[in-house]
Amino acid sequence: MQKTFQVGSKSFVLDQAKAEAAFSAKKVINGRGTMTFNLLPLKYQWAYDLYRKMKANHWEPEDIPMGKDIEQWRDEKTVSDVERWIIRMGIGYFSAAEGIVGDNIQHVVRELVTAPELKLVLGRHAHEENIHADSLLYMISSLQINPHECEAMFEDIPTIVRKNEFVTKTSHALRRDLDLTLPENKRLLAKNIFIFGQCMEGTQFYGLFGMVLSLYRQNKFPGIGQMFRYTLRDESNHIEVFRNLFMDLVDENQEIWTAEFKEELRSLMREAVQLEKEFIRDCLPVNSIGLAADDFVAYIDYIADRRLESCGLAPLSPGLKNPLPWLAEMMDIKKEQNFFEGRVTEYQKASSLNVASDDEL
Ligand code: FE
Ligand code: MN
């Protein structure tokens, strides 16, 4: 079908069939060039919906008061050395990890996908990693922690080094022009998306999330706790972005979805879980009030299986129950209406308010 626009002496013919053919060639990877820039018509509606949801959750670190945290940090009696160590590990691990995630989005995933609505949501995702990194800077300067300590933790704590090596090893090989028509390269990208979304953001972030929120639950470090809750809300969207991306990539490239590949992904998760458990033991070398390393270790097994199942993969330890039900409740921050009072709501534009929010975990 053709439509002609007559404007003055000129006539313009628009060909619907040609546009539809271009649309059907819009793909996660190896899409048609002309559909690399046109958001409309949307093919990946989920990407646009998540972009809007993420935008509506916008927050800025300096809006969160740190007065109480500073007071507690200096007071020997209120918080123990173990509790201070958890905060240091949180800052030490995340200040580098947020950057690693953002870098992988910008230089690997966003470069390789071709549909523009995917690039749109990935741009927002990368920006949120900047906000998270910025929130850690804010914590460091508020508590007056020596900034060199962060770099030192990144270099000197072996369990942090190993977690970072685990994720970056799939990132570097994907940086240059990659022939994504080859199944082995498609698998490399799928693996990268699985590792970053499900193993790292989806599982390896949760040991510290749990510990910091456990402190928050005891009214310790309320400002830091609140920032971690905002971060966690963002991460749940990031996990969903990468899960959808992974599922659509597999769906459009069925040849990569072999029993062998599925097993490879499951063993990557097994490795991620092992690294996270060792890291938890470093964060919590001795148990503290309301904080037992065994509980967090069990929680990692539980959450890793939820991630695997969400990607159509078999769990590693079927039948596990959530050992920390309060954590799931605390992570679902929408239930707490008052939490949104204050500056955060002001960022929400009226147009964004009608977007349904249905975070899980
Ligand atoms: Fe983040
Ligand atoms: Mn993230």
Side-chain angles (χ1 to χ4, degrees):
M1 196 186 84
Q2 292 189 335
K3 190 169 181 180
T4 306
F5 292 85
Q6 190 71 44
V7 187
S9 61
K10 288 199 171 182
S11 71
F12 303 90
V13 182
L14 298 186
D15 190 334
Q16 170 99 10
K18 228 162 85 187
E20 279 170 8
F23 176 74
S24 67
K26 197 177 196 177
K27 294 274 160 56
V28 175
I29 54 169
N30 305 318
R32 183 168 147 159
T34 56
M35 290 307 274
T36 307
F37 308 105
N38 297 339
L39 273 173
L40 292 173
L42 292 171
K43 184 162 189 177
Y44 304 94
Q45 182 69 44
W46 61 263
Y48 185 63
D49 292 345
L50 273 165
Y51 167 76
R52 285 171 58 91
K53 186 172 169 188
M54 288 157 81
K55 191 166 62 108
N57 285 346
H58 189 79
W59 61 284
E60 293 288 349
E62 58 271 24
D63 293 333
I64 292 138
M66 280 288 289
K68 190 112 204 213
D69 301 61
I70 296 165
E71 212 175 279
Q72 292 179 342
W73 186 256
R74 290 178 187 157
D75 180 3
E76 292 296 319
K77 291 188 293 286
T78 323
V79 291
S80 66
D81 286 345
V82 183
E83 291 165 340
R84 269 188 208 89
W85 179 245
I86 289 170
I87 299 298
R88 281 184 199 279
M89 286 292 271
I91 292 171
Y93 170 64
F94 280 115
S95 49
E98 303 288 5
I100 291 172
V101 176
D103 193 60
N104 184 66
I105 295 163
Q106 280 180 312
H107 299 290
V108 177
V109 184
R110 196 181 174 282
E111 283 291 302
L112 295 174
V113 301
T114 52
E117 56 267 44
L118 301 177
K119 289 179 185 281
L120 178 83
V121 75
L122 289 167
R124 174 74 206 181
H125 185 167
H127 180 61
E128 291 184 359
E129 302 309 346
N130 290 340
I131 296 172
H132 300 167
D134 186 22
S135 76
L136 295 156
L137 248 67
Y138 176 60
M139 292 174 209
I140 291 164
S141 61
S142 303
L143 300 179
Q144 292 183 307
I145 292 174
N146 174 357
H148 291 297
E149 268 181 37
C150 293
E151 173 63 18
M153 292 192 86
F154 184 62
E155 306 268 347
D156 298 337
I157 310 270
T159 53
I160 293 184
V161 174
R162 285 201 293 273
K163 275 174 79 174
N164 289 329
E165 277 170 0
F166 170 71
V167 294
T168 50
K169 72 183 177 196
T170 61
S171 197
H172 295 306
L174 286 159
R175 275 168 196 257
R176 299 281 164 254
D177 280 336
L178 199 67
D179 182 357
L180 280 176
T181 60
L182 301 173
E184 65 259 38
N185 288 343
K186 291 178 182 178
R187 265 188 213 109
L188 265 184
L189 178 62
K191 216 160 85 175
N192 176 287
I193 293 171
F194 178 78
I195 287 179
F196 273 86
Q198 308 310 314
C199 301
M200 188 192 196
E201 295 189 287
T203 303
Q204 294 189 322
F205 278 16
Y206 278 72
L208 271 169
F209 279 155
M211 288 180 247
V212 173
L213 291 189
S214 174
L215 294 175
Y216 177 78
R217 197 175 169 226
Q218 302 173 46
N219 296 315
K220 288 169 183 162
F221 303 117
I224 292 176
Q226 192 162 337
M227 281 186 260
F228 269 80
R229 293 183 80 191
Y230 283 138
T231 298
L232 184 51
R233 179 178 59 178
D234 294 339
E235 297 305 345
S236 66
N237 289 327
H238 300 172
I239 295 160
E240 192 56 10
V241 168
F242 268 42
R243 190 188 73 83
N244 280 303
L245 202 54
F246 177 83
M247 298 305 267
D248 281 349
L249 179 64
V250 167
D251 196 46
E252 292 176 9
N253 301 276
Q254 283 291 325
E255 74 277 15
I256 69 171
W257 201 231
T258 58
E260 197 189 353
F261 186 51
K262 289 182 205 175
E263 234 9 81
E264 189 184 350
L265 296 173
R266 288 181 76 236
S267 49
L268 282 165
M269 183 59 95
R270 197 177 288 118
E271 191 182 343
V273 165
Q274 188 52 37
L275 292 171
E276 183 60 9
K277 288 179 177 176
E278 289 164 13
F279 175 71
I280 288 170
R281 303 280 177 199
D282 274 1
C283 292
L284 207 48
V286 287
N287 288 345
S288 177
I289 314 160
L291 288 159
D294 288 344
D295 289 343
F296 294 104
V297 161
Y299 186 69
I300 292 306
D301 279 325
Y302 170 77
I303 202 135
D305 279 353
R306 303 290 78 74
R307 301 304 177 215
L308 286 168
E309 285 174 334
S310 77
C311 292
L313 295 163
L316 298 169
S317 346
L320 288 181
K321 286 212 166 58
N322 184 354
L324 301 171
W326 64 264
L327 194 53
E329 212 167 287
M330 184 164 264
M331 285 171 180
D332 190 3
I333 52 187
K334 269 172 307 21
K335 282 183 188 145
E336 217 179 300
Q337 292 301 321
N338 289 339
F339 189 67
F340 287 102
E341 280 174 10
R343 283 293 299 277
V344 172
T345 42
E346 290 170 29
Y347 294 115
Q348 300 199 2
K349 302 273 185 295
S351 60
S352 307
L353 288 173
N354 56 3
V355 175
S357 34
D358 48 341
D359 287 358
E360 49 299 306
L361 286 181

